[in-house]
Amino acid sequence: MNLTLKALLTYFSRMSKERQKLTVASTTSIQNSGLFDILIPAYEKSAKYNISVEVIAVGTGKAIRIAKKGEADLLFVHDPFREEKFIAEGYGVNRRIVMHNYFVILGPKKDPADIKNARNAVEAFELIAEAGHPFVSRGDDSGTNIKELDIWDDAGINPKGKGWYFETGGRMGDTLVVADQKNGYCICDKGTFLNYEKRIGLKILVQDDPLLRNQYSVIAVNSARFPHVRYREAMEFIGFVTSQEGQAVIAGYKKYGICLFYPDAVTSVINNKKKGGRK
């Protein structure tokens, strides 16, 4: 065999065996809830190509900024408005809704602002403001932070600068710890709370409000804008998490017998889990 041809065949054979890296810029809640710990190995095992997934877990705002620089191949976030803007500006393609869970409003067991009987999240925030009891915000431009600010806006309240309103500028886990230390209130995705529940004294006081629904989507970074991104691998990951197999992994993930995420991409999986799952 020609030496040059043999060298080329050896090179391509080696390349096919080397793991290709897929970089996912993600919201911290998927990481903190533990879902990635089972979802990524399931994807890597089933992948057609030899793929290794690297997750950059940050707030949604920062994840989008990373993707806008072409420093990620895929977004996995939870802010529909900014997701649509990301696509409209030409940074992303092929957005697919994957799953949802719910935010919950947490507070001290004694509930000094008396929000546990509030009719909805907006009324709960109004009561916290009226009581002037500590509220701890992530203040980091994350999807959770944006949801919180939307609720304050619906309540007609601007909490910034108030003596009872604190911003950590940190991740959800850090914010939970600070809220616990201050014996205050905060908003959190349910999955992250359940992972931290035994380490803090905060309790779920408000939940099941439709306003607290938390939708997650995946978006491939546009290879026409960033030719170096791994578009094929990104689309394969999207295909997996929206497939029957991937949705079953999501639907089967529970903590303390509670489903943390509800799949939205495959109707049959959703319906089956709704019959037997708990919020």
Side-chain angles (χ1 to χ4, degrees):
M1 179 184 289
N2 181 284
L3 184 60
T4 303
L5 178 58
K6 184 177 180 179
L8 284 171
L9 289 173
T10 301
Y11 171 77
F12 284 117
S13 175
R14 185 171 69 250
M15 286 295 290
S16 67
K17 293 176 182 177
E18 291 178 356
R19 292 176 74 83
Q20 302 298 305
K21 185 176 76 171
L22 173 69
T23 302
V24 179
S26 167
T27 171
T28 56
S29 59
I30 308 176
Q31 183 91 304
N32 289 343
S33 68
L35 178 61
F36 272 145
D37 293 337
I38 63 163
L39 187 62
I40 288 176
Y43 163 69
E44 291 177 342
K45 183 178 178 181
S46 70
K48 296 175 184 176
Y49 309 105
N50 201 11
I51 303 296
S52 174
V53 178
E54 177 189 7
V55 175
I56 303 173
V58 289
T60 289
K62 188 171 182 179
I64 290 175
R65 289 192 291 275
I66 288 170
K68 281 186 172 183
K69 296 176 184 177
E71 295 175 356
D73 307 304
L74 182 83
L75 271 177
F76 202 151
V77 291
H78 60 145
D79 188 336
F81 176 79
R82 284 191 290 188
E83 291 163 24
E84 291 169 4
K85 189 171 184 286
F86 179 77
I87 292 171
E89 292 173 345
Y91 292 103
V93 293
N94 299 322
R95 175 176 178 255
R96 298 288 184 271
I97 291 173
V98 178
M99 62 193 186
H100 71 275
N101 65 2
Y102 294 89
F103 290 110
V104 290
I105 301 176
L106 309 172
K109 186 177 180 179
K110 291 185 178 179
D111 188 21
D114 194 28
I115 71 169
K116 62 181 176 296
N117 295 316
R119 291 170 295 178
N120 51 47
V122 171
E123 184 175 328
F125 274 34
E126 290 172 344
L127 290 170
I128 293 168
E130 287 173 10
H133 203 78
F135 185 98
V136 181
S137 167
R138 285 181 63 167
D140 65 346
D141 196 35
S142 62
T144 303
N145 183 212
I146 295 301
K147 171 59 73 172
E148 173 223 319
L149 294 176
D150 284 345
I151 297 173
W152 285 121
D153 188 58
D154 287 348
I157 297 168
N158 179 7
K160 303 235 175 174
K162 301 292 195 299
W164 47 267
Y165 187 76
F166 303 89
E167 295 177 294
T168 65
R171 298 186 176 189
M172 194 68 251
D174 300 328
T175 301
L176 287 174
V177 171
V178 173
D180 186 44
Q181 292 171 344
K182 290 185 175 294
N183 201 36
Y185 295 89
C186 71
I187 186 170
C188 179
D189 65 281
K190 195 169 186 178
T192 300
F193 167 70
L194 290 175
N195 258 358
Y196 277 79
E197 185 175 17
K198 292 185 177 180
R199 291 177 259 175
I200 58 179
L202 302 177
K203 303 298 179 185
I204 295 177
L205 299 174
V206 178
Q207 61 181 330
D208 297 329
D209 181 345
L211 185 60
L212 297 176
R213 183 184 173 100
N214 184 23
Q215 190 79 60
Y216 294 83
S217 301
V218 284
I219 308 171
V221 175
N222 190 355
S223 59
R225 189 162 195 145
F226 302 106
H228 65 276
V229 300
R230 297 191 180 280
Y231 177 75
R232 182 188 70 180
E233 290 83 354
M235 288 306 300
E236 186 188 60
F237 184 88
I238 289 175
F240 174 76
V241 297
T242 57
S243 70
Q244 186 84 25
E245 181 183 1
Q247 294 276 283
V249 172
I250 293 167
Y253 183 57
K254 296 182 179 182
K255 203 82 173 177
Y256 310 113
I258 299 172
C259 290
L260 298 194
F261 297 92
Y262 299 86
D264 290 329
V266 178
T267 304
S268 60
V269 172
I270 299 169
N271 290 339
N272 287 338
K273 288 298 169 182
K274 280 185 176 177
K275 291 177 183 177
R278 292 169 50 200
K279 288 185 183 177

